[in-house]
Amino acid sequence: MSGLLGSGPAASSSGAAASANDWAKALGQILEKVVLSQAMLNSCRELRLFAGAEEFEPWLEHTTEMLQEWAVPDAEKRRCLIESLSGPALDVIRTLKLIDPGVSVKDCLEALDHIFGSVEGPEDSYCKFLNSRQQIGEKISAYIQRLERLLQRAVMRGAVTAEQMDRTRLAQIVRGAQYQNPILLHLRLRERREHPPSYSQLIKEVREEEERQAASEFWEAQTLGPAGTTPLQTASVLMVSTTEELAQQMQVLTERIAELPRCLRLFARKPVVLYSLHLPIRVLSV
């Protein structure tokens, strides 16, 4: 009867197992929240303070890049942003929150930009974005990060909508990167313009590819010698060495051939001793 009612040993063990699973799941959720809170606390500390008297453009570039890389809800980003503000800058955001308590981070940055930023128009900001090119010696990841700051400014000025950012970014990267960039070719970015990746996904793929290529170049340098020569370069060096040796041998042979007539004349003036049956026979020179 107790077995039918589920109060037997089997039911008790299954109930204990379910309770243990629920307890482990709850503990995991608590730990996840603790880790996330600690990560957000560290991330908030990385934001630079801004009160309104400092230079706005460097602060905006740094803050925009940091907030964009954080994979957390917008509310958490807004909280960190507010904690980094003081003075007149904080008053601007407080006014926005009175009007709209759920104001987005994008709207907060736009409001700060309108008050503390430059008077650059949307056309000027978009032209700066389009004229940006990868510099000689600049990594493609560094170029993308620099380009992103210009794109963010163009979005704040109203030159580009937020929905167009991914496609606009990728189109300019393909246009502004150095010709036949190996990373662009390997990631097939030109073929992905119709379905462009997000900024976080793009920068992740580019950095991973840069690390892979750097490791490959390091391995080739260790394998092929200190000079880091390629197989083709090594073959060329061997070919040059062989050619130089042949040229030296030809020069020595030419000199010996040139000396041959003089040797023959000297030889004709001296007696030659022939040995026949171990008996020397003196032959007069001709």
Coordinates of all heavy atoms in Angstrom, one line a residue, residues 3-81:
G3 N 3.8 1.4 -1.2 CA 4.4 1.5 -2.5 C 3.5 2.2 -3.5 O 3.9 3.0 -4.3
L4 N 2.2 1.9 -3.4 CA 1.3 2.5 -4.3 C 1.1 4.0 -4.0 O 0.9 4.8 -5.0 CB -0.1 1.8 -4.2 CG -0.2 0.4 -4.7 CD1 -1.6 -0.2 -4.3 CD2 0.1 0.3 -6.1
L5 N 1.3 4.4 -2.8 CA 1.1 5.8 -2.5 C 2.4 6.6 -2.7 O 2.4 7.8 -2.5 CB 0.7 5.9 -1.0 CG -0.6 5.3 -0.6 CD1 -0.9 5.4 0.9 CD2 -1.7 6.1 -1.4
G6 N 3.4 5.9 -3.1 CA 4.7 6.6 -3.4 C 5.5 6.9 -2.2 O 6.3 7.8 -2.3
S7 N 5.3 6.2 -1.1 CA 6.0 6.6 0.1 C 7.1 5.5 0.4 O 7.6 5.5 1.5 CB 5.1 6.7 1.3 OG 4.3 5.5 1.4
G8 N 7.3 4.6 -0.6 CA 8.3 3.5 -0.3 C 9.7 4.0 -0.5 O 10.0 5.2 -0.8
P9 N 10.7 3.1 -0.4 CA 12.1 3.5 -0.5 C 12.4 4.1 -1.9 O 13.2 5.1 -2.0 CB 12.9 2.2 -0.3 CG 11.9 1.3 0.5 CD 10.5 1.7 0.0
A10 N 11.9 3.5 -3.0 CA 12.2 4.0 -4.3 C 11.7 5.4 -4.5 O 12.4 6.3 -5.1 CB 11.5 3.1 -5.4
A11 N 10.5 5.7 -4.0 CA 9.9 7.1 -4.1 C 10.7 8.1 -3.3 O 11.0 9.2 -3.7 CB 8.5 7.1 -3.7
S12 N 11.2 7.6 -2.1 CA 12.0 8.5 -1.3 C 13.3 8.8 -2.0 O 13.8 10.0 -2.0 CB 12.3 7.8 0.1 OG 11.0 7.6 0.7
S13 N 14.0 7.8 -2.6 CA 15.3 8.1 -3.2 C 15.1 9.0 -4.5 O 15.9 9.9 -4.7 CB 15.9 6.7 -3.7 OG 15.0 6.1 -4.6
S14 N 14.0 8.8 -5.2 CA 13.8 9.6 -6.4 C 13.5 11.1 -6.0 O 13.9 12.0 -6.6 CB 12.6 9.1 -7.2 OG 11.4 9.1 -6.5
G15 N 12.7 11.2 -4.9 CA 12.5 12.5 -4.4 C 13.7 13.2 -3.9 O 13.9 14.4 -4.1
A16 N 14.6 12.5 -3.2 CA 15.9 13.0 -2.8 C 16.7 13.5 -3.9 O 17.4 14.5 -3.9 CB 16.6 12.0 -1.9
A17 N 16.7 12.6 -5.0 CA 17.5 13.0 -6.2 C 17.0 14.2 -6.9 O 17.8 15.1 -7.3 CB 17.5 11.8 -7.2
A18 N 15.7 14.3 -6.9 CA 15.1 15.5 -7.5 C 15.4 16.8 -6.7 O 15.7 17.8 -7.2 CB 13.6 15.4 -7.6
S19 N 15.4 16.6 -5.4 CA 15.7 17.7 -4.5 C 17.2 18.1 -4.7 O 17.5 19.3 -4.7 CB 15.4 17.4 -3.0 OG 14.1 17.1 -2.9
A20 N 18.0 17.1 -4.8 CA 19.5 17.4 -5.0 C 19.7 18.1 -6.3 O 20.5 19.1 -6.4 CB 20.3 16.1 -5.0
N21 N 19.0 17.7 -7.4 CA 19.1 18.4 -8.7 C 18.6 19.8 -8.6 O 19.3 20.7 -9.2 CB 18.4 17.6 -9.7 CG 19.0 16.3 -10.0 OD1 20.2 16.1 -9.9 ND2 18.2 15.3 -10.5
D22 N 17.5 20.0 -7.9 CA 17.0 21.4 -7.8 C 17.9 22.3 -7.0 O 18.2 23.4 -7.3 CB 15.6 21.4 -7.1 CG 14.5 20.7 -8.0 OD1 14.8 20.6 -9.2 OD2 13.5 20.2 -7.4
W23 N 18.5 21.7 -6.0 CA 19.5 22.4 -5.1 C 20.7 22.8 -5.9 O 21.2 23.9 -5.9 CB 19.8 21.6 -3.9 CG 20.8 22.3 -3.0 CD1 20.5 23.2 -2.0 CD2 22.2 22.1 -3.0 NE1 21.6 23.6 -1.4 CE2 22.7 23.0 -2.0 CE3 23.1 21.3 -3.7 CZ2 24.1 23.1 -1.7 CZ3 24.5 21.4 -3.4 CH2 24.9 22.3 -2.4
A24 N 21.2 21.8 -6.7 CA 22.4 22.1 -7.6 C 22.1 23.2 -8.6 O 22.9 24.0 -8.9 CB 22.9 20.8 -8.2
K25 N 20.9 23.1 -9.2 CA 20.5 24.1 -10.2 C 20.4 25.5 -9.6 O 20.9 26.5 -10.2 CB 19.2 23.7 -10.9 CG 18.8 24.6 -12.0 CD 17.5 24.1 -12.6 CE 17.5 22.7 -13.2 NZ 16.3 22.3 -13.8
A26 N 19.8 25.5 -8.4 CA 19.7 26.8 -7.7 C 21.0 27.4 -7.4 O 21.3 28.6 -7.5 CB 18.8 26.7 -6.5
L27 N 21.9 26.5 -6.9 CA 23.3 26.9 -6.5 C 24.0 27.4 -7.7 O 24.7 28.4 -7.7 CB 24.0 25.8 -5.9 CG 25.5 26.1 -5.4 CD1 25.5 27.2 -4.4 CD2 26.1 24.8 -4.9
G28 N 23.8 26.8 -8.9 CA 24.5 27.2 -10.1 C 24.0 28.6 -10.6 O 24.8 29.4 -11.0
Q29 N 22.7 28.8 -10.4 CA 22.2 30.1 -10.8 C 22.7 31.2 -9.9 O 23.0 32.3 -10.3 CB 20.7 30.1 -10.7 CG 20.0 29.2 -11.8 CD 18.5 29.1 -11.6 OE1 17.9 29.5 -10.6 NE2 17.9 28.4 -12.6
I30 N 22.8 30.9 -8.6 CA 23.4 31.9 -7.7 C 24.8 32.2 -8.0 O 25.3 33.4 -8.0 CB 23.2 31.4 -6.2 CG1 21.8 31.3 -5.8 CG2 24.0 32.3 -5.2 CD1 21.5 30.6 -4.5
L31 N 25.6 31.2 -8.2 CA 27.0 31.4 -8.6 C 27.2 32.2 -9.9 O 28.0 33.0 -10.0 CB 27.7 30.0 -8.7 CG 27.9 29.2 -7.4 CD1 28.5 27.9 -7.7 CD2 28.8 30.0 -6.4
E32 N 26.3 31.9 -10.8 CA 26.3 32.6 -12.1 C 26.1 34.1 -11.9 O 26.7 34.9 -12.5 CB 25.3 32.0 -13.1 CG 25.3 32.6 -14.5 CD 24.3 32.0 -15.4 OE1 23.7 31.0 -15.0 OE2 24.2 32.5 -16.5
K33 N 25.1 34.4 -11.0 CA 24.8 35.8 -10.7 C 26.0 36.5 -10.0 O 26.3 37.6 -10.3 CB 23.5 35.9 -9.9 CG 22.3 35.5 -10.6 CD 21.0 35.6 -9.8 CE 19.8 35.3 -10.5 NZ 18.5 35.4 -9.7
V34 N 26.6 35.7 -9.1 CA 27.7 36.3 -8.4 C 28.9 36.6 -9.3 O 29.5 37.7 -9.3 CB 28.2 35.3 -7.3 CG1 29.5 35.8 -6.6 CG2 27.1 35.2 -6.2
V35 N 29.2 35.6 -10.2 CA 30.3 35.8 -11.2 C 30.0 37.0 -12.1 O 30.8 37.8 -12.4 CB 30.5 34.5 -12.0 CG1 31.5 34.8 -13.1 CG2 31.0 33.4 -11.1
L36 N 28.7 37.1 -12.6 CA 28.3 38.1 -13.5 C 28.4 39.5 -12.7 O 28.9 40.5 -13.3 CB 26.9 37.9 -14.0 CG 26.3 39.0 -14.9 CD1 27.1 39.1 -16.2 CD2 24.8 38.7 -15.2
S37 N 28.0 39.5 -11.5 CA 28.1 40.8 -10.7 C 29.5 41.2 -10.5 O 29.8 42.4 -10.7 CB 27.4 40.6 -9.4 OG 26.0 40.3 -9.5
Q38 N 30.4 40.2 -10.2 CA 31.8 40.6 -10.1 C 32.4 41.1 -11.4 O 33.2 42.0 -11.4 CB 32.6 39.4 -9.6 CG 34.0 39.6 -9.2 CD 34.1 40.6 -8.1 OE1 33.3 40.7 -7.2 NE2 35.2 41.4 -8.1
A39 N 32.0 40.4 -12.5 CA 32.6 40.8 -13.8 C 32.1 42.2 -14.1 O 32.8 43.0 -14.7 CB 32.1 39.8 -14.9
M40 N 30.8 42.5 -13.9 CA 30.3 43.8 -14.1 C 30.9 44.9 -13.3 O 31.2 46.0 -13.7 CB 28.7 43.8 -13.9 CG 27.9 43.2 -15.0 SD 28.3 44.0 -16.6 CE 27.9 45.7 -16.3
L41 N 31.2 44.5 -12.0 CA 31.9 45.5 -11.1 C 33.3 45.8 -11.7 O 33.7 47.0 -11.7 CB 32.0 44.9 -9.7 CG 32.7 45.7 -8.7 CD1 31.9 47.0 -8.5 CD2 32.8 45.0 -7.3
N42 N 34.0 44.8 -12.1 CA 35.3 45.0 -12.7 C 35.2 45.8 -14.0 O 36.1 46.7 -14.3 CB 36.0 43.7 -13.0 CG 36.3 43.0 -11.7 OD1 36.5 43.6 -10.6 ND2 36.4 41.6 -11.8
S43 N 34.2 45.5 -14.8 CA 34.0 46.3 -16.0 C 33.7 47.7 -15.8 O 34.2 48.6 -16.5 CB 32.9 45.6 -16.9 OG 33.3 44.3 -17.2
C44 N 32.8 48.0 -14.8 CA 32.4 49.4 -14.5 C 33.7 50.2 -14.0 O 33.8 51.4 -14.3 CB 31.4 49.4 -13.4 SG 29.8 48.8 -13.9
R45 N 34.6 49.5 -13.3 CA 35.8 50.2 -12.9 C 36.7 50.6 -14.0 O 37.5 51.5 -13.9 CB 36.5 49.3 -11.9 CG 35.8 49.1 -10.6 CD 36.6 48.1 -9.7 NE 35.9 47.9 -8.4 CZ 36.3 47.0 -7.6 NH1 37.3 46.1 -7.8 NH2 35.6 46.9 -6.4
E46 N 36.6 49.9 -15.2 CA 37.4 50.2 -16.3 C 36.9 51.4 -17.1 O 37.7 52.0 -17.9 CB 37.4 49.0 -17.3 CG 38.1 47.8 -16.7 CD 38.1 46.6 -17.7 OE1 37.6 46.8 -18.8 OE2 38.5 45.5 -17.3
L47 N 35.7 51.9 -16.8 CA 35.2 53.1 -17.5 C 35.9 54.3 -16.9 O 36.0 54.4 -15.7 CB 33.7 53.2 -17.3 CG 32.8 52.2 -18.2 CD1 31.3 52.5 -17.9 CD2 33.1 52.3 -19.6
R48 N 36.2 55.3 -17.8 CA 36.8 56.5 -17.3 C 35.7 57.4 -16.8 O 34.6 57.5 -17.3 CB 37.5 57.2 -18.5 CG 38.7 56.3 -19.0 CD 39.2 56.9 -20.3 NE 40.2 56.1 -20.9 CZ 40.8 56.3 -22.1 NH1 40.4 57.4 -22.8 NH2 41.7 55.5 -22.6
L49 N 36.1 58.2 -15.8 CA 35.1 59.2 -15.2 C 35.0 60.4 -16.1 O 35.9 60.8 -16.8 CB 35.6 59.6 -13.9 CG 35.7 58.5 -12.8 CD1 36.2 59.1 -11.5 CD2 34.4 57.8 -12.6
F50 N 33.8 60.9 -16.2 CA 33.5 62.1 -17.0 C 32.5 63.0 -16.3 O 31.4 62.6 -15.9 CB 32.9 61.7 -18.4 CG 32.7 62.9 -19.3 CD1 33.7 63.6 -19.9 CD2 31.4 63.3 -19.5 CE1 33.5 64.7 -20.7 CE2 31.1 64.4 -20.3 CZ 32.2 65.1 -20.9
A51 N 32.9 64.3 -16.1 CA 32.1 65.2 -15.4 C 31.6 66.4 -16.3 O 30.6 67.1 -16.0 CB 32.8 65.8 -14.2
G52 N 32.2 66.5 -17.5 CA 31.8 67.6 -18.4 C 32.9 68.5 -18.7 O 32.9 69.2 -19.8
A53 N 34.0 68.6 -17.9 CA 35.1 69.5 -18.1 C 36.2 68.8 -18.9 O 37.1 69.5 -19.5 CB 35.6 70.1 -16.8
E54 N 36.2 67.5 -18.9 CA 37.3 66.8 -19.6 C 37.0 66.7 -21.1 O 35.9 67.2 -21.6 CB 37.4 65.3 -19.1 CG 37.6 65.2 -17.6 CD 36.4 65.3 -16.8 OE1 35.3 65.6 -17.4 OE2 36.4 65.2 -15.6
E55 N 38.0 66.3 -21.9 CA 37.8 66.1 -23.3 C 36.8 65.0 -23.6 O 36.9 63.9 -23.1 CB 39.1 65.8 -24.0 CG 40.2 66.9 -24.0 CD 41.4 66.6 -24.8 OE1 41.2 65.7 -25.7 OE2 42.4 67.1 -24.6
F56 N 35.8 65.4 -24.4 CA 34.7 64.5 -24.5 C 34.9 63.4 -25.5 O 34.6 62.2 -25.3 CB 33.4 65.3 -25.0 CG 32.2 64.4 -25.2 CD1 31.5 63.8 -24.2 CD2 31.8 64.2 -26.5 CE1 30.4 63.0 -24.4 CE2 30.7 63.3 -26.7 CZ 30.0 62.8 -25.7
E57 N 35.6 63.7 -26.7 CA 35.7 62.7 -27.8 C 36.5 61.5 -27.3 O 36.1 60.4 -27.6 CB 36.4 63.4 -29.0 CG 35.6 64.5 -29.6 CD 34.2 64.1 -30.1 OE1 34.1 62.9 -30.4 OE2 33.3 64.9 -30.1
P58 N 37.7 61.6 -26.7 CA 38.4 60.4 -26.2 C 37.6 59.6 -25.2 O 37.6 58.4 -25.3 CB 39.7 61.0 -25.6 CG 39.9 62.3 -26.2 CD 38.5 62.8 -26.4
W59 N 36.8 60.3 -24.3 CA 36.0 59.6 -23.4 C 34.9 58.8 -24.1 O 34.6 57.7 -23.8 CB 35.4 60.5 -22.4 CG 34.5 59.9 -21.4 CD1 34.8 59.2 -20.2 CD2 33.1 59.7 -21.6 NE1 33.7 58.7 -19.6 CE2 32.6 59.0 -20.4 CE3 32.1 60.2 -22.5 CZ2 31.2 58.7 -20.3 CZ3 30.8 59.8 -22.4 CH2 30.4 59.1 -21.2
L60 N 34.3 59.5 -25.1 CA 33.2 58.8 -25.8 C 33.7 57.6 -26.6 O 33.0 56.5 -26.6 CB 32.6 59.8 -26.8 CG 31.4 59.3 -27.6 CD1 30.3 58.8 -26.8 CD2 31.0 60.3 -28.6
E61 N 34.8 57.7 -27.2 CA 35.4 56.6 -28.0 C 35.6 55.4 -27.0 O 35.3 54.2 -27.3 CB 36.6 57.0 -28.7 CG 36.4 58.0 -29.8 CD 37.7 58.4 -30.5 OE1 38.8 57.9 -30.0 OE2 37.6 59.2 -31.4
H62 N 36.3 55.7 -25.9 CA 36.6 54.6 -24.9 C 35.3 54.0 -24.4 O 35.2 52.7 -24.3 CB 37.5 55.2 -23.8 CG 37.7 54.2 -22.7 ND1 38.5 53.1 -22.7 CD2 37.1 54.2 -21.4 CE1 38.5 52.5 -21.6 NE2 37.6 53.1 -20.8
T63 N 34.4 54.8 -24.0 CA 33.2 54.3 -23.3 C 32.3 53.5 -24.3 O 31.8 52.4 -24.0 CB 32.3 55.5 -22.8 OG1 33.1 56.2 -21.9 CG2 31.1 55.0 -22.1
T64 N 32.2 54.0 -25.5 CA 31.4 53.3 -26.6 C 32.0 51.9 -26.9 O 31.3 50.9 -27.0 CB 31.4 54.1 -27.9 OG1 30.8 55.4 -27.6 CG2 30.6 53.4 -28.9
E65 N 33.3 51.8 -27.0 CA 34.0 50.5 -27.3 C 33.8 49.6 -26.1 O 33.5 48.4 -26.3 CB 35.5 50.8 -27.5 CG 36.2 49.5 -27.9 CD 37.7 49.8 -28.2 OE1 38.0 51.0 -28.4 OE2 38.4 48.8 -28.4
M66 N 33.9 50.0 -24.9 CA 33.8 49.2 -23.7 C 32.4 48.7 -23.6 O 32.1 47.5 -23.4 CB 34.2 49.9 -22.4 CG 35.7 50.3 -22.4 SD 36.8 48.9 -22.3 CE 36.2 48.2 -20.7
L67 N 31.4 49.5 -23.7 CA 30.0 49.1 -23.6 C 29.6 48.2 -24.6 O 28.8 47.3 -24.4 CB 29.1 50.4 -23.6 CG 29.2 51.3 -22.4 CD1 28.3 52.5 -22.6 CD2 28.9 50.6 -21.1
Q68 N 30.1 48.3 -25.8 CA 29.7 47.5 -26.9 C 30.3 46.1 -26.8 O 29.6 45.1 -27.2 CB 30.2 48.1 -28.3 CG 29.6 47.4 -29.5 CD 30.0 48.2 -30.7 OE1 31.0 48.8 -30.8 NE2 29.2 48.1 -31.8
E69 N 31.4 45.9 -26.1 CA 32.0 44.6 -25.9 C 31.3 43.8 -24.8 O 31.5 42.6 -24.7 CB 33.5 44.7 -25.7 CG 34.3 45.2 -26.9 CD 35.7 45.3 -26.6 OE1 36.1 45.0 -25.5 OE2 36.5 45.5 -27.6
W70 N 30.6 44.4 -23.9 CA 30.0 43.7 -22.8 C 28.8 43.0 -23.2 O 27.8 43.6 -23.7 CB 29.7 44.7 -21.7 CG 30.9 45.4 -21.1 CD1 32.2 45.0 -21.2 CD2 30.9 46.5 -20.2 NE1 33.0 45.9 -20.6 CE2 32.2 46.8 -19.9 CE3 29.9 47.3 -19.7 CZ2 32.6 47.9 -19.1 CZ3 30.2 48.4 -18.9 CH2 31.6 48.7 -18.6
A71 N 28.7 41.7 -23.0 CA 27.6 40.9 -23.3 C 26.6 40.8 -22.1 O 26.4 39.8 -21.5 CB 28.0 39.5 -23.7
V72 N 26.1 42.0 -21.7 CA 25.1 42.1 -20.6 C 23.9 42.9 -21.0 O 24.0 43.6 -22.1 CB 25.8 42.8 -19.4 CG1 27.0 41.9 -18.9 CG2 26.3 44.1 -19.8
P73 N 22.8 42.8 -20.3 CA 21.6 43.6 -20.6 C 21.9 45.1 -20.6 O 22.9 45.6 -20.0 CB 20.6 43.2 -19.5 CG 21.1 41.9 -19.0 CD 22.6 41.9 -19.1
D74 N 21.1 45.8 -21.4 CA 21.3 47.3 -21.5 C 21.1 48.0 -20.2 O 21.8 49.0 -20.0 CB 20.2 47.8 -22.5 CG 20.6 49.2 -23.0 OD1 21.5 49.4 -23.8 OD2 19.9 50.2 -22.5
A75 N 20.3 47.4 -19.3 CA 20.1 48.1 -18.0 C 21.4 48.1 -17.2 O 21.7 49.1 -16.5 CB 19.0 47.4 -17.2
E76 N 22.2 47.0 -17.3 CA 23.5 46.9 -16.6 C 24.5 47.9 -17.2 O 25.2 48.5 -16.5 CB 24.0 45.5 -16.6 CG 23.2 44.5 -15.8 CD 23.2 44.8 -14.3 OE1 24.2 45.3 -13.8 OE2 22.2 44.5 -13.7
K77 N 24.5 48.0 -18.5 CA 25.4 49.0 -19.1 C 25.0 50.4 -18.7 O 25.9 51.2 -18.5 CB 25.3 48.8 -20.7 CG 25.8 47.5 -21.2 CD 25.7 47.5 -22.7 CE 26.2 46.2 -23.3 NZ 26.1 46.1 -24.8
R78 N 23.7 50.7 -18.7 CA 23.3 52.0 -18.3 C 23.7 52.3 -16.8 O 24.1 53.4 -16.5 CB 21.8 52.1 -18.4 CG 21.2 53.6 -18.1 CD 19.7 53.6 -18.3 NE 19.1 52.7 -17.3 CZ 18.1 51.9 -17.6 NH1 17.6 51.9 -18.9 NH2 17.5 51.1 -16.7
R79 N 23.6 51.3 -16.0 CA 24.0 51.5 -14.6 C 25.5 51.9 -14.5 O 25.9 52.8 -13.8 CB 23.7 50.3 -13.7 CG 24.1 50.4 -12.3 CD 23.7 49.1 -11.5 NE 24.4 48.0 -12.0 CZ 25.7 47.7 -11.6 NH1 26.3 48.5 -10.7 NH2 26.3 46.6 -12.1
C80 N 26.3 51.1 -15.2 CA 27.8 51.4 -15.2 C 28.1 52.8 -15.8 O 29.0 53.5 -15.3 CB 28.5 50.3 -16.0 SG 28.6 48.7 -15.2
L81 N 27.3 53.1 -16.9 CA 27.5 54.4 -17.5 C 27.2 55.5 -16.5 O 28.0 56.5 -16.4 CB 26.7 54.6 -18.7 CG 26.7 55.9 -19.4 CD1 28.1 56.3 -19.9 CD2 25.7 55.9 -20.6

